[in-house]
Amino acid sequence: MSFVVGVGGSGSGSGGGDGGGSSQHHDGGSETDRKKKRYHRHTAQQIQRLESSFKECPHPDEKQRNQLSTELGLAPRQIKFWFQNRRTQLKAQHERADNTALKAENDKIRCENIAIREALKHAICPNCGGPPVSEDPYFDEQKLRIENVHLREELERMSTIASKYMGRPISQLSTLHPMHISPLDLSMTSLTGCGQGPSLDFDLLPGSSMSSAVPNNLQSQPNLAISDMDKPLMTDIALTAMEELLRLIHTNEPLWTRTDESRDILNLGSYENVFPRSSNRGKNHNLRVEASRSSGIVFMNAMALVDMFMDCAKWAELFPSIIAASKTLSVISPGMGGTHERALHLLYEEMEVLSPLVETREFCELRYCQQIEQGSWIVVNVSYHLPQFVSHSQSYRYPSGCLIQDMPNGYSKVTWVEHIETEEKEPIHELYRDIIHRGIAFGAERFVTTLQRMCERFASLSVPASSSRDPGGVIPSLEGKRSMMRLAQRMTSNYCLSVSRSNNTCATVVSELNEVGIRVTAHKSPEPNGTVLCAATTFWLPNSPQNVFNFLKDERTRPQWDVLSHGNAVQEVAHISNGSHPGNCISVLRASNASHSNNMLILQETSTDSSGALVVYSPVDLSALNIAMTGEDTSYIPLLSSGFTISPDGNSNILTTEQGGGASTSSGRSSSSSSSGSLITVGFQIMVSNLPSAKLNMESVETVNNLIGTTVHQIKTALSGPTASTTA
């Protein structure tokens, strides 16, 4: 193709109609001549040279334009106009290509929506066999849009994973075919209570074998669409909740009653007089209210705490034993002046107790933050009715939250209030009935004590490693210590999810509580790659939580309960303190009689506070630990977390017959006894097969059940004596 070129130019550079290959001019002469525009075409050699220069530099400077002008025999202005027109042409081509691609994608999504709607018209309810209950078409469309966004994110995530494993970008791979994952073939109706085994929706996030999520109807949207009419209402609800929370924090009697254990419990009669409700929620006799208040000093300043509380990921990291899932659904107000002043978020949250015997509680709530005065912040949570939110638990959060006040030397005083109304769909297990009814299990004191311990843990991240023993010498750097602590944090979070009743894990329930109280779930894990079984149970011991914790964390007594150690002693070869209590630490353990060819060690983290204790461990390869100790990325180190949760029993009197090594309710004491005992949740994760397509059978479930039962039996034997009832 040849191009038209002119001499001189009008200054606009828009004379060419051949996509940037021409320009125009008019020279001196009569007025009629000046009105006439003469066109000249570039030669093929000139165009070829200009194109090659454009590929090297689409925006040449004046020096480069002058050089081209001399070389091609064209005026500098002609060179300038040619490059302008060429850039305009290229931009138009890109825009046309983008529009075509977007139109094709839009047509594809529209077809998918139509197909899904048509399928829903002919859907049949699996329970009753009738047509499904019709829903609001607006929310049907919203669900389809959410699902479309979720599928795109899933494809991008899988593409990233594939490129990491295959060593080249996903664009270089051949056409992807649908991945088929076989469901677990249980071949036993007694495990699930139905004639067909469950189909698994396995988690494929790299570096973790379980992860928290949110309900399907709320996930996938980074920012849920909130109408402009709803935002003022949300703000009014948040401000009213803040005023109520401030009164609850600053007022003592008659709103609060001090118990014999020096705990603040809400006086419901006085509360209803001060804060009358127009709602009819109180007329439901199945509703029960738990409200408590607690305060404490934590080693973190107010601004740092506010930053963590307003970030759902950091919030869940602060409270891994309390928060099973947390997600920001929408940011109603991001705050003012670059801070969280007057920030308002809409959240989904799931609270847990680390036991398979206790149901979790789900909330859709508003979280509001405001600075009360210099160095004083309030963070308030209050439930909000969202039509898309369907909860597994009937729980409502009245104004709750905390007041954070700066103190000298980087400390803060935190005053916490938890006020929850819940409807019990099923009776609470008697092991936990007392501490739940008294507001201990989900109460304010548990938040404060956990926050104190976790703030100490975060503070220890900046303290140089003081260990003198580890597999490859001293942990070489502060970054190595931090890497080890991050690995232990992931291990603990993994364990907490595996033993709770969370509704938001990508795990399938293989067996609900059996006759000895063991609950078994399974999930597909990429690290380690294969099928993993998780089993958990809770039992009672007539020993104080501190005694049980000391017994389980001590490497010298480990052979008495660790059935996988086969009675062999273990020794600590690395130690990282992460709190003021000597029991708050991370350890690396090795079997004392292990040969140098045995490269498998045990990573263990132990932690304790007044609300309970954790002992969590996982086998880890020596080479992987060396990676962590040098400060490298630990997100892909495989972990199979097991361990124990130890909590006070609340001085409850439990009188039933021992049923086995699982959720035993036998206390071995009379009803008049007031001595405290402990509730111990034990959880194990085992790799059933390293083949992703492996099928699960009854033998695998029996193996993990026997592992749990034997462990419980040995713990009871060691702590309760040979005369204790220890049938497993």
Side-chain angles (χ1 to χ4, degrees), residues 352-498:
E352 65 185 352
V353 171
L354 298 184
S355 172
L357 305 181
V358 182
E359 284 191 326
T360 60
R361 295 177 177 179
E362 294 177 299
F363 304 93
C364 179
E365 61 188 20
L366 295 171
R367 178 167 295 172
Y368 179 72
C369 178
Q370 183 171 322
Q371 186 174 17
I372 304 303
E373 56 188 22
Q374 185 66 31
S376 180
W377 293 77
I378 189 167
V379 179
V380 58
N381 303 311
V382 62
S383 284
Y384 180 78
H385 174 68
L386 191 68
Q388 299 98 312
F389 176 65
V390 179
S391 172
H392 295 84
S393 60
Q394 296 295 326
S395 299
Y396 184 88
R397 206 170 200 170
Y398 285 112
S400 304
C402 61
L403 177 67
I404 310 170
Q405 299 167 291
D406 266 329
M407 298 187 69
N409 302 321
Y411 286 84
S412 299
K413 180 183 179 181
V414 177
T415 304
W416 205 291
V417 171
E418 280 298 312
H419 187 184
I420 297 175
E421 183 181 70
T422 183
E423 181 178 2
E424 296 174 358
K425 292 185 176 181
E426 61 182 47
I428 298 176
H429 195 282
E430 54 189 319
L431 279 176
Y432 283 92
R433 187 180 302 143
D434 198 17
I435 61 174
I436 290 180
H437 282 182
R438 293 170 59 193
I440 298 175
F442 293 96
E445 184 178 5
R446 188 166 169 232
F447 273 97
V448 172
T449 55
T450 302
L451 179 63
Q452 289 174 319
R453 175 173 55 80
M454 292 301 294
C455 285
E456 283 191 355
R457 190 184 194 279
F458 284 117
S460 67
L461 284 171
S462 59
V463 179
S466 58
S467 171
S468 60
R469 307 182 307 277
D470 66 60
V474 178
I475 296 177
S477 65
L478 178 60
E479 187 55 40
K481 174 186 175 182
R482 292 174 176 171
S483 181
M484 287 286 291
M485 293 183 70
R486 287 193 294 267
L487 182 62
Q489 173 78 14
R490 180 161 64 91
M491 176 182 68
T492 300
S493 299
N494 179 284
Y495 164 79
C496 292
L497 279 175
S498 70

Side-chain angles (χ1 to χ4, degrees), residues 5 78 112 144 169 409 503 574 579 582 605 710:
V5 63
Q78 289 178 285
E112 290 176 354
L144 293 175
N409 302 321
N503 300 299
E605 177 163 10
T710 303

Side-chain angles (χ1 to χ4, degrees), residues 17-58:
D18 290 337
S22 64
S23 59
Q24 57 181 322
H25 89 288
H26 56 86
D27 49 14
S30 65
E31 184 177 353
T32 304
D33 293 336
R34 286 196 297 269
K35 291 181 181 179
K36 295 181 180 180
K37 298 179 181 180
R38 294 183 296 133
Y39 296 90
H40 298 278
R41 297 184 182 274
H42 291 313
T43 66
Q45 291 80 4
Q46 288 174 329
I47 294 173
Q48 183 178 3
R49 181 68 179 93
L50 289 170
E51 287 287 355
S52 62
S53 299
F54 183 83
K55 291 179 181 179
E56 295 177 1
C57 179

Side-chain angles (χ1 to χ4, degrees), residues 591-629:
S592 58
N593 64 341
S595 63
H596 292 289
S597 61
N598 184 1
N599 292 325
M600 191 59 66
L601 304 177
I602 297 174
L603 176 66
Q604 176 175 284
E605 177 163 10
T606 59
S607 58
T608 182
D609 55 53
S610 60
S611 66
L614 284 172
V615 177
V616 184
Y617 59 92
S618 172
V620 182
D621 186 77
L622 174 60
S623 60
L625 279 180
N626 285 332
I627 290 175
M629 289 181 181

